[in-house]
Amino acid sequence: MTVNCSTTFSKQHLLSKLPIPDLEETCRKYLDAVRPLQTYAEHQRTKAVTAEFLANEGPRLNEMLKEYSKDRSSYIEQFWYDSYLNYDNPVVLNLNPFFLLEDDPSPFASGSQVNRAASLVISSLNFIRALRREELPYDNVRGKPLCMYQYSRLFGTSRIPNQDCCIMQTDTTSRHIVVVARSQFYWFDVLDENSDIIISEAELSRNLETIVSDAQDIAITEAAKRAVGVLTTENRRDWANLRDVLTNGDDANNREILSIIDSALFMLCLDHVSPENLADLSRNILCGTSSVEKGIQVGSCTNRWYDKLQIIVTKNGSAGVNFEHTGVDGHTVLRFVSDIFTDSILRYAKSITGSSPSIWPSQGPDPVSLRNTKPFISIVPRRLEWTLVPELSIALRFAESRLSDLIHQTEVETLEFRAYGTDFIKNSGFSPDAYVQLAFQAAYYALYGRCESTYEPAMTKYFLHGRTEAIRTVTDECLAFVRKFCEDAPAIDKIESLRRACDRHSQLTKQCSQGLGQDRHLYALLCMWQREFLDDEKGSSEWEAGSAASASAPQLPGIFADQGWDKLSNTILSTSNCGNPSLRLFGFGPTSPDGFGIGYILTSNSISICASSKHRQTKRFLETLQNYLLEMRNILRQNSRAKAASISGMNSDLSDGRLGRKLKTTAVVKEDEEDEAGDVMGGYGYFDMGEMDALLKEFSKAPVNSTPYSVSTAKGVGLGPVTNGSHESEGSRPASGATTPRTGAAKYRAKNIGRKLKLIDY
């Protein structure tokens, strides 16, 4: 992505609306997406309900959608907002992603919490100033402009819980920030009415030093009692009730505090912890740390406010961003963090050379001089002190306990793979993103022997108010590749199978980026059905009236009640590629209790991955993934050398008429490079897929309540001991009381099977 030096919103009028795809094409793509996840019988049922949908409700709902979209910027936008705002579970570890920034290159900020935080805040204020003055260059990809609307939802925005659903609130005139240190809240102004910066970096550092010192003076037991930010991690309806408790009554203090927090430009969280390894750093930016001492939570998990954009800086100067996802996607926040990281580098360069280029089109007045002309402006920090009634103190205690549960239930692991990156992948003839997506599938298949529903977002910001479309990685070609990879097949067969799967993935990515996927269209049709029946006041009352009314209640279209829709919607591998050199890692929590959340960053010579799950052997999954990446490189190199040797042999037969004997050239190969990869198959070796299919077919003879991947031990269906190479089931054994005569050595054969061990001498 590049930026154009024209005004921020100057290209918005040129953007077309997101297209509503052809309904038949959407249904065809839906069947393609769900087929690799189903058995033959399951897929036949899904085909039947899809055909019924096309013949009945589908066209009518599609026409309703077209009519609905006529006076809207996007047919999916409001439905997409509602899907987030109606979400009732805690946003932490469920909705909010994070970015972990690279370390600051300047010695001034490196390792210093206050200096790093001050640098990031000043750069952020420069970004906000350029955005509000509409001087921020618009995003574009290869000269094609992207929608900039999401930037208006980035600052001064808060998610407000209500009883029915949450709402998004944005204060476009916000001038202050809120700082959280040891779970205490502070605030001060940073901009004037023209969005010019009114505080210098040195003054900002002094403010932050003052805040940190004040927070340290508060007894840990008192700090825990005022850790109101932990309430933002509660179930949304519970949080709505607690906000009502906070704001009810004659005391307006809490209402004022909430107004200050809700309208703040962003939150700055100064953590008192210093995680050292990457996994702990990632966990801290994603959800904070949990540590209980003498019954009191002393981790950083309570030092947050998850309803807003948060810049988080640890005690040793590591920094990241955690953001509320409803109004903005990763691509938008990535532009923000990239710009502020770049600005911090350029300002450091200026301190060395006295001058350096700036990424901002204009510079504001000197902050100190500006304040001298406006004596009413104050930049002194103030601590916000809540009025807490007894029931709120109890609520804080229980909210912290539940948050600690969530944190301890979630694994976060990281992999910084530096053996190769996009350069090697491209030189091998593959799309880097498709190559890594297929790596996730191969690693999962090697561990579990199946493919599961996988999600990757494709950006649709080429369109007005565009968000994302779902790329469904698991295709017929993907399934064929992972099966081929797990066989003891020739290298060229594995490579060609991978190439077909990657080509298919790239094709899907292109279609989805053009707004021609199936997920968003089908979801919008489901929402239209809900609007027609569930949101209709009369229909809703009749539906809830009792059994007599429910007999005539509208039936959900079969395509959405089908097992195929549920299976595709239950994302086991939720993945996203988002990053550039300003980031070290990017990640989020799993979207399914049985799934993985996988954020990854691709550079020319590395692949950085952060994976999370509800204790699904996350570390083992990443180790398997690393082994696959190394083994695939070995396969590609071996094939490349085989081709080179073949060409060299052909050339040796040709005489160029020159004197002398031509020497054979050899590639320089790192010692033991082919032995770097661990065992992708976990020591079990490659297996023949024909044998695997035969085994699964044998399993399928079991009763309906048995799954293809488990062996029941009930009489008649369990697999008995193997004798002479055949399976002997319980059902084939002699009836109770019958005997099988054995004579001679056959009586004692069982004793002689295996290698006799030599007894230890005592």
Side-chain angles (χ1 to χ4, degrees), residues 88-109:
D88 193 38
N89 289 331
V91 295
V92 61
L93 286 168
N94 290 309
L95 291 184
N96 287 26
F98 80 92
F99 289 143
L100 177 64
L101 278 68
E102 284 285 2
D103 292 336
D104 195 301
S106 71
F108 173 74

Side-chain angles (χ1 to χ4, degrees), residues 49 95 151 171 309 389 438 522 575 629 745:
V49 295
L95 291 184
Y151 290 95
D171 185 346
L309 172 68
V389 294
L438 269 295
L522 286 174
T575 70
L629 291 169

Side-chain angles (χ1 to χ4, degrees), residues 253-267:
N253 177 61
N254 289 341
R255 285 195 294 273
E256 289 294 330
I257 293 177
L258 284 172
S259 177
I260 289 171
I261 292 175
D262 292 340
S263 62
L265 290 166
F266 53 83
M267 310 294 289

Side-chain angles (χ1 to χ4, degrees), residues 8 128-136 194-196 362:
T8 308
I128 293 169
R129 179 181 181 274
L131 175 63
R132 287 185 171 179
R133 293 168 64 91
E134 298 191 10
E135 296 175 347
L136 192 71
N194 299 317
S195 297
D196 284 324
S362 69

Side-chain angles (χ1 to χ4, degrees), residues 397 453 560:
R397 167 63 172 166
S453 178
F560 302 121

Side-chain angles (χ1 to χ4, degrees), residues 220 224 289-293 295-302 400 404:
I220 190 171
T289 63
S290 175
S291 178
V292 177
E293 294 181 5
I296 299 173
Q297 177 61 252
V298 296
S300 63
C301 61
T302 60
E400 180 274 310
S404 296

Side-chain angles (χ1 to χ4, degrees), residues 214-232:
D214 182 81
Q216 288 175 339
D217 291 340
I218 300 174
I220 190 171
T221 52
E222 288 302 311
K225 292 177 183 177
R226 303 179 194 170
V228 177
V230 75
L231 298 180
T232 65

Side-chain angles (χ1 to χ4, degrees), residues 157 186 496 546 732:
T157 298
Y186 305 80
E496 288 307 312
S732 64

